[in-house]
Amino acid sequence: MPRETIPRRVVGLRIVRRLPPSGPGFLSLFRAVLRNEYESGESSAAYRYEMVERRGIDSVAIMPFFRGASPVRVLVKAGFRPALFLRGSRPAPGEPARKRSWTVEAVAGSLEPGETSVAQIRRRAARELREETGYRVRPEDFRPLGAGFFPSHGQCTEKIHLFAVCLDHRAASLPKGDGSINEAETWSLLLGARDLIARCRTGEIEDPKLEIGVVRLLEHLRRRGRGGLA
């Protein structure tokens, strides 16, 4: 079941040591000098380019909701993201500076190398849902919510694939996590779908996967009927 209480709030972050940009990890940094080549045989001037790539390239985001609920309720997670905390006092235009000690986001996870088919992505979605929320759902019960999208195509090759799944309270168990410190300290929240969209648009929730995913989920449910996904 979702936990409504915050286990621990992060108030500081100490850098033990900095690691070099190259080396083993989930992300790799590509830096090069490029030229665009055109159909005419001409080439552009040389220019510098940088991009980040995930080990499995893409990721999956999940919109878990409860069957028959009115209003539709969506299960999301909350936890600590060091990148947002390290942004620190650098505010976005029109908002005050603030330390983000936790953030609300979609249940999601990186694909592993070779996971490219819909069946493989469904299996990854089932594993991520179980690890992050404790819910056990068959891979075949996950339904795609339209085409995937690039969240930051100017600097990253990652494409996010959206899936939805109906949940049954009887399928709940304790989440096992992936063994990482920050995932072990996440918790689940159950929010009304329209309330969630409103919070995204006011900036209270800052995860575009959620806004896009929940909007698509509601559209899909309207087409198929409120009982579930076809």
Side-chain angles (χ1 to χ4, degrees), residues 71 73-74 81 128 150 185:
R73 294 174 297 159
V74 180
R81 289 296 191 185
E128 296 296 334
F150 294 98
E185 296 184 353

Side-chain angles (χ1 to χ4, degrees), residues 7-222:
R8 291 196 294 185
R9 184 182 292 274
V10 176
V11 296
L13 193 61
R14 178 166 55 93
I15 299 174
V16 178
R17 69 179 184 277
R18 292 184 180 272
L19 300 175
S22 61
F26 288 101
L27 302 176
S28 61
L29 175 62
F30 171 86
R31 284 182 172 150
V33 175
L34 306 177
R35 289 184 188 271
N36 296 345
E37 296 183 344
Y38 305 107
E39 293 175 318
S40 63
E42 298 176 303
S43 298
S44 72
Y47 62 94
R48 177 173 172 157
Y49 186 72
E50 300 178 349
M51 72 179 188
V52 175
E53 191 160 61
R54 288 180 175 273
R55 185 175 66 188
I57 304 178
D58 289 354
S59 61
V60 61
I62 308 147
M63 302 298 121
F65 70 100
F66 285 93
R67 180 181 288 111
S70 181
V72 175
R73 294 174 297 159
V74 180
L75 190 68
V76 301
K77 69 174 188 177
F80 178 63
R81 289 296 191 185
L84 298 184
F85 190 88
L86 288 172
R87 177 174 171 136
S89 59
R90 292 171 289 176
E95 67 177 37
R98 61 189 176 102
K99 291 274 191 179
R100 292 168 174 83
S101 58
W102 59 278
T103 186
V104 175
E105 61 187 83
V107 177
S110 296
L111 301 180
E112 290 295 326
E115 291 181 336
T116 56
S117 70
V118 173
Q120 289 169 325
I121 298 174
R122 282 189 169 111
R123 288 195 291 271
R124 173 57 51 188
R127 173 177 286 187
E128 296 296 334
L129 182 69
R130 185 171 69 252
E131 287 181 354
E132 296 185 6
T133 71
Y135 280 89
R136 293 180 176 271
V137 181
R138 300 178 305 172
E140 57 266 31
D141 290 336
F142 288 80
R143 295 292 181 267
L145 289 175
F149 62 92
F150 294 98
S152 185
H153 53 272
Q155 61 187 14
C156 186
T157 60
E158 177 194 20
K159 192 173 194 177
I160 297 176
H161 305 274
L162 289 173
F163 282 75
V165 67
C166 294
L167 296 181
D168 186 331
H169 286 295
R170 294 172 295 181
S173 61
L174 291 176
K176 65 176 184 178
D178 62 3
S180 65
I181 290 173
N182 289 323
E183 184 157 307
E185 296 184 353
T186 62
W187 64 101
S188 300
L189 298 170
L190 194 56
L191 299 175
R194 296 199 177 279
D195 176 50
L196 199 156
I197 293 171
R199 294 191 192 195
C200 287
R201 293 179 179 176
T202 61
E204 181 182 347
I205 295 175
E206 300 171 295
D207 181 9
K209 300 188 299 296
L210 276 176
E211 183 170 356
I212 295 170
V214 174
V215 168
R216 290 188 186 184
L217 172 64
L218 292 179
E219 290 175 351
H220 196 106
L221 292 177
R222 279 197 298 269

